[in-house]
Amino acid sequence: MVGKDNLKTEDLNLFFENLMMVAGGEKGGNMKVGVITEWKDIPVELLMQILSLVDDQTVIRVSGVCRGWRDSIYFGLARLSLSWCNKNMNNLVLSLVPKFAKLQTLILRQDKPQLDDNVVGTIANFCHDLQILDLSKSFKLTDRSLYAIAHGCRDLTKLNISGCSAFSDNALAYLAGFCRKLKVLNLCGCVRAASDTALQAIGHYCNQLQSLNLGWCDKVGDVGVMSLAYGCPDLRTVDLCGCVYITDDSVIALANGCPHLRSLGLYFCKNITDNAMYSLAQSKVKNRMWGSVKGGNDEDGLRTLNISQCTSLTPSAVQAVCDSSPALHTCSGRHSLIMSGCLNLTEVHCACAGHAHRAMNAFPHPAH
């Protein structure tokens, strides 16, 4: 098996034979006789379609078939993932990246940290068209990497540096000032980088941001989240799980400042109270009323809410949120309102769960 769609070597050979038959048989058509006689004669567009069916290891291997293929791949490939490389990723990146001039997506996710700052510097020097970069679990990287990305990859729309615990908040704030097109930013576990100072910079510069993961960033406080809420009004997904210092002020700011908010994670945010829930409910009702005037639909509102271990919340407040967002579900198989560890919230139900409960009660109980 060569690729992810079970493309085998014999399949490619059969495909090539058929291609030659077509080339030789269509004498009266647009295709010239004998144009395709070897693999190297395949048009670049067709080659790229074939390579889209195979995995990244195979792409790298076939780049050595001939110079024509090599050049086509180097100048035509837009996405590359090297996450499969368990050893010598640094050397592999250093040898490949300077050749892939048009890369837009580069995935370097690691199970064991390998990447160093020199490699990221090379990426920044050669891959100026990058839009998506995944460096998650790169524990060895330092601020040098963020400074290099800031200068070399200003068109980034999606950056994943989750688990990169060595980055500082000053370096992250610096990057925000240059990478202003960011729409998705994963900072989960960036315990030094994700501070109120850095979030203020992100809120100021990255106004197109739609998704932000701040999971387990315990330096995050209300000042930072409020800056995000007012500076990034298009935020749709915000994960604050484990941000133990935030209070209702953060949630209220998000409710009022981010009308498109669809997913909110508040797991283990023990300072969150009913005030935050009522603020979410009121903002969603207001947005739905405004949306109905503009032709909105019932799916407006929160679709995912995690309030697990938020033990200060009461059933009435959480029920208000559930009622205001029809896409929130507590029913079996569709749990999008997550309340683990909140034993006092067991009576909170979504609309469809309530309908099912009433339907069961509508049937007469058999006499004992």
Side-chain angles (χ1 to χ4, degrees):
M1 184 171 65
V2 174
K4 58 187 177 183
D5 288 331
N6 297 331
L7 192 67
K8 300 179 180 179
T9 303
E10 52 265 32
D11 295 329
L12 285 173
N13 290 332
L14 179 61
F15 177 80
F16 179 55
E17 291 173 6
N18 292 335
L19 203 60
M20 289 194 296
M21 290 176 62
V22 171
E26 303 225 358
K27 298 181 181 180
N30 296 326
M31 191 175 291
K32 297 180 180 179
V33 178
V35 168
I36 301 177
T37 58
E38 300 181 30
W39 276 111
K40 66 181 179 62
D41 298 323
I42 292 179
V44 174
E45 295 80 4
L46 183 56
L47 173 61
M48 300 314 295
Q49 288 185 19
I50 294 174
L51 293 180
S52 69
L53 301 176
V54 302
D55 56 44
D56 293 277
Q57 287 178 273
T58 304
V59 171
I60 293 172
R61 291 193 186 103
V62 300
S63 66
V65 170
C66 62
R67 190 172 72 177
W69 276 36
R70 182 194 64 200
D71 293 342
S72 297
I73 292 172
Y74 286 169
F75 288 100
L77 197 69
R79 184 190 185 281
L80 181 65
S81 173
L82 300 179
S83 296
W84 48 267
C85 182
N86 296 319
K87 294 181 179 179
N88 301 319
M89 181 182 282
N90 286 318
N91 292 335
L92 184 61
V93 175
L94 289 172
S95 65
L96 290 177
V97 162
K99 302 170 184 176
F100 290 95
K102 301 299 182 181
L103 271 185
Q104 296 180 6
T105 299
L106 182 58
I107 310 298
L108 299 175
R109 191 180 302 114
Q110 304 150 81
D111 290 327
K112 296 181 180 179
Q114 300 181 61
L115 291 182
D116 59 36
D117 291 324
N118 291 329
V119 170
V120 177
T122 300
I123 294 170
N125 285 335
F126 288 95
C127 301
H128 299 301
D129 294 332
L130 267 187
Q131 296 178 20
I132 299 175
L133 178 60
D134 188 340
L135 299 173
S136 52
K137 297 184 180 180
S138 298
F139 305 129
K140 295 182 178 181
L141 298 183
T142 70
D143 287 351
R144 282 178 54 201
S145 290
L146 289 190
Y147 292 131
I149 294 170
H151 288 288
C153 307
R154 299 190 184 189
D155 288 334
L156 282 179
T157 60
K158 183 176 181 179
L159 177 63
N160 186 347
I161 52 173
S162 59
C164 298
S165 53
F167 293 150
S168 72
D169 56 350
N170 288 333
L172 180 58
Y174 186 85
L175 178 137
F178 289 87
C179 299
R180 302 188 182 192
K181 297 180 182 179
L182 281 172
K183 292 185 177 181
V184 179
L185 181 59
N186 191 337
L187 301 175
C188 181
C190 295
V191 292
R192 293 184 59 233
S195 68
D196 285 347
T197 299
L199 297 188
Q200 285 176 300
I202 293 171
H204 182 71
Y205 294 113
C206 304
N207 309 124
Q208 301 179 47
L209 199 64
Q210 296 181 358
S211 177
L212 179 62
N213 190 334
L214 293 170
W216 307 106
C217 296
D218 55 12
K219 292 172 65 176
V220 171
D222 290 330
V223 171
V225 178
M226 292 169 69
S227 298
L228 289 169
Y230 299 130
C232 307
D234 203 27
L235 274 174
R236 298 155 192 256
T237 300
V238 181
D239 192 341
L240 297 169
C241 295
C243 296
V244 295
Y245 292 117
I246 67 167
T247 69
D248 292 341
D249 289 343
S250 289
V251 179
I252 292 171
L254 290 170
N256 294 330
C258 305
H260 305 295
L261 190 64
R262 296 292 176 264
S263 178
L264 180 60
L266 297 172
Y267 173 73
F268 216 76
C269 297
K270 300 265 187 185
N271 296 323
I272 301 302
T273 72
D274 287 355
N275 290 334
M277 297 297 103
Y278 284 123
S279 179
L280 285 172
Q282 291 167 5
S283 68
K284 297 311 168 189
V285 170
K286 181 173 64 176
N287 291 338
R288 285 176 63 200
M289 291 176 62
W290 178 243
S292 64
V293 174
K294 300 175 65 176
N297 57 61
D298 288 339
E299 290 302 309
D300 290 339
L302 286 170
R303 297 173 186 170
T304 305
L305 177 62
N306 188 344
I307 50 174
S308 299
Q309 302 298 331
C310 295
T311 51
S312 298
L313 301 177
T314 64
S316 59
V318 178
Q319 187 66 60
V321 178
C322 197
D323 292 341
S324 69
S325 296
L328 282 180
H329 292 281
T330 60
C331 49
S332 178
R334 302 179 68 186
H335 285 99
S336 57
L337 176 55
I338 307 167
M339 304 177 288
S340 302
C342 300
L343 301 180
N344 61 322
L345 300 181
T346 54
E347 61 188 76
V348 175
H349 295 291
C350 60
C352 49
H355 292 326
H357 180 71
R358 285 191 291 273
M360 289 181 61
N361 289 337
F363 290 97
H365 295 283
H368 295 288

